[in-house]
Amino acid sequence: TPGHSSPFLFLPPHSRRSFQTLLATPAAMAAAIAGDAETDLTLPISDDLDDNGFPASPPTAATTSSFADDFYRSGIDWSSLQAPPSHRRRPAAGTIETVCGPLVQKNLFQAWGIEKPAAGMAQKVCGPQVQKNLFQAWGIEKPPREEAAQGAPVGARASSSSPSPSPSGAWPGRKRRWGGSDENGASRKPVACPFYKKIPGTPFTVDAFRYGAVEGCSAYFLSHFHCDHYGGLTKKWCRGPIYCTALTARLVKMLLSIDSAYVCPLELDTEYVIDGVKVTFLEANHCPGAALIHFRLSDGKTYLHTGDFRASKSMQLHPLLQTGRISLLYLDTTYCNPKYKFPPQEDVIDFVVRTAQRYLKKQPKTLIVVGAYSIGKENVYLAISQALEVPIYTDASRRRILHSFGWPDLSKRISSCNQSSPLHVLPLASLQHENLKKYLETLDQRFLAVLAFRPTGWTFSEAAGKELDLIKPSSRGRVTIYGVPYSEHSSFSELRDFLKFLRPQKVIPTVNVGNAANRDKMQAYFREWLKST
């Protein structure tokens, strides 16, 4: 499943053929399972194809369309069906193997090492289907965990062999994940970095770590420490300096084990000159350490990249945004839809505190649970802790992260004992009735009921709107869950107000841009908002 790194996978019989086609060699299969961004698959490129049904070159667009034509045009690299000698199985004794010969359709029973059933006989399946270990099924060695993981586990030490910048100022780079060349010198197409992650007229990119060594990029900016923005960063990083806020820098080094030589922390509201460009970080009102990034080029053009942000009136008071006009705005458009009209964050927090107090008055042995990401939503559970005068229990991993913020009022309230506080912080995704029922059972009758809050903009209901008292909780047995529209992204009306204030010459949306209809709709909103400015 997406986001799950386990090498164990059940493959129903009808899917084996397509799976073997995509992962025709043990090495390719292992790399796909490992998910290691640094894995460099070196497969030969065949210049000619034989009479087994594979075309010498993809059909042109003018060719009459058919299923086969569309399939061949879809970008499949047929060379992946042909492995170099280093990746092939050793031939059986007494047989001769043709190395890098023509592509031949294989016997799937033989390839999978299973016995072919007799003709006309149905295979009897006894008992439940069992998940198989694919490394064992393919007869290959399981790669080490540190090589297979995208990011090092919490607490992992930085590698002593981590690269560092060269004295000349040139940053040694690794090959692109799918780019560069193979052992035979044949070039491979790199994964392209989206244009909206590049800052024009500069050698900068923002949140572009999953695209290999981006051509022409000498400095990589990280807006905040959420995995959809730092994805691609591993402890092997050596492609160039990473510019981020001081808090984000601590998290990058602590949780991803990035070599400190590559991490360049910048303070908020301080102007820095990087490669001739004036760069300033502004508070993004998102998660701890998140920043808006303001670029001023030598020709006078100014660009603003919002990363992820929750627009607020206080941003309009910043001198950099009050003076001059933004030439190009890279805008977080997560909720760029008229139906999202979030109440102010302060109102949502007040509602959460009042609700917790009401439930505790009714049942003093109620456990209050707040769902949160690895970072973010801290203001919600901190407000509950302050109002109820109780400590905050979290697991060891989250405690380590929260202490790294350097916030004294938060740090002094963190507890390591789950019995000592009626306020617990759990992963947002785990806030389901069955999970919370089981969690309650682990606390040895210390609590008799659970009141949980899921603070995210996705819980917003048009029926309730900004009338928070109209929110209906989901109750089942002793567990009650409230979805509250506490968002750390801008609502539709907040985006509108921000653009009307900023008056950018051009706006580039950075979220929900994969669909042309979405892009056109958002651009129509932008034109309408800027028409009167």
Side-chain angles (χ1 to χ4, degrees), residues 391-394 399 402-403 410-416:
I392 303 165
Y393 168 75
T394 74
R399 288 198 300 272
L402 296 179
H403 282 304
L410 177 60
S411 292
K412 71 181 182 182
R413 295 176 181 275
I414 299 172
S415 169
S416 60

Side-chain angles (χ1 to χ4, degrees), residues 87 126 258 291 413:
H87 296 304
C126 299
I258 304 296
R413 295 176 181 275

Side-chain angles (χ1 to χ4, degrees), residues 203-484:
F204 304 155
T205 59
V206 177
D207 299 338
F209 301 97
R210 64 176 76 245
Y211 308 103
V214 179
E215 185 176 355
C217 179
S218 63
Y220 294 78
F221 285 81
L222 175 59
S223 64
H224 63 288
F225 195 78
H226 276 163
C227 62
D228 54 330
H229 292 257
Y230 70 70
L233 272 178
T234 71
K235 65 182 180 180
K236 294 181 179 182
W237 178 265
C238 59
R239 296 189 178 107
I242 303 167
Y243 292 97
C244 54
T245 63
L247 193 156
T248 299
R250 291 196 294 273
L251 295 172
V252 164
K253 291 184 286 187
M254 181 177 76
L255 302 180
L256 301 181
S257 300
I258 304 296
D259 189 335
S260 296
Y262 289 91
V263 183
C264 307
L266 305 182
E267 296 299 325
L268 291 173
D269 302 317
T270 303
E271 186 178 88
Y272 297 86
V273 178
I274 303 173
D275 287 343
V277 178
K278 295 179 180 179
V279 181
T280 308
F281 282 175
L282 287 63
E283 172 59 47
N285 191 28
H286 182 58
C287 66
L292 310 177
I293 309 175
H294 185 279
F295 302 95
R296 185 180 296 278
L297 280 61
S298 58
D299 61 4
K301 292 180 180 177
T302 56
Y303 305 143
L304 181 67
H305 199 296
T306 66
D308 284 349
F309 84 129
R310 177 82 187 255
S312 65
K313 296 294 183 183
S314 61
M315 290 180 182
Q316 300 181 15
L317 302 177
H318 199 286
L320 271 181
L321 303 184
Q322 286 186 330
T323 58
R325 189 173 183 183
I326 298 296
S327 308
L328 184 57
L329 173 65
Y330 295 83
L331 186 66
D332 167 20
T333 47
T334 301
Y335 292 109
C336 190
N337 186 312
K339 74 177 182 180
Y340 293 114
K341 303 172 183 177
F342 304 141
Q345 291 175 324
E346 297 78 11
D347 291 356
V348 180
I349 289 176
D350 180 65
F351 171 78
V352 168
V353 170
R354 286 189 288 107
T355 303
Q357 290 171 331
R358 188 174 78 252
Y359 273 75
L360 282 171
K361 186 176 181 179
K362 183 178 178 180
Q363 172 52 269
K365 298 187 74 173
T366 295
L367 173 66
I368 309 298
V369 174
V370 177
Y373 306 123
S374 58
I375 62 171
K377 319 298 182 183
E378 292 80 10
N379 289 334
V380 177
Y381 52 84
L382 180 57
I384 299 174
S385 173
Q386 292 168 337
L388 302 181
E389 297 182 345
V390 296
I392 303 165
Y393 168 75
T394 74
D395 62 19
S397 174
R398 190 183 299 273
R399 288 198 300 272
R400 185 170 179 239
I401 292 173
L402 296 179
H403 282 304
S404 76
F405 293 173
W407 296 357
D409 192 39
L410 177 60
S411 292
K412 71 181 182 182
R413 295 176 181 275
I414 299 172
S415 169
S416 60
C417 178
N418 62 3
Q419 299 280 335
S420 66
S421 172
L423 175 59
H424 292 197
V425 181
L426 299 178
L428 192 59
S430 71
L431 265 61
Q432 307 294 335
H433 285 280
E434 194 62 31
N435 294 339
L436 292 174
K437 178 185 175 183
K438 292 178 180 178
Y439 185 74
L440 183 63
E441 292 169 354
T442 67
L443 299 177
D444 303 325
Q445 302 297 314
R446 169 71 174 82
F447 304 99
L448 300 180
V450 176
L451 171 64
F453 295 98
R454 300 185 69 250
T456 168
W458 298 118
T459 65
F460 174 77
S461 165
E462 289 186 272
K466 296 185 180 182
E467 299 296 324
L468 297 170
D469 290 327
L470 297 179
I471 295 176
K472 296 180 179 180
S474 173
S475 298
R476 191 180 303 168
R478 296 184 294 167
V479 178
T480 299
I481 303 176
Y482 273 84
V484 292

Side-chain angles (χ1 to χ4, degrees), residues 9-32:
L9 175 68
F10 169 72
L11 292 175
H14 67 268
S15 67
R16 289 178 178 171
R17 184 168 190 169
S18 59
F19 184 80
Q20 191 216 16
T21 303
L22 292 173
L23 300 175
T25 69
M29 193 282 304

Side-chain angles (χ1 to χ4, degrees), residues 126-148:
C126 299
Q129 293 172 317
V130 181
Q131 221 174 12
K132 293 295 185 181
N133 183 332
L134 291 183
F135 294 107
Q136 179 182 355
W138 279 80
I140 61 175
E141 182 180 356
K142 180 179 179 180
R145 179 178 177 82
E146 66 175 9
E147 296 295 324

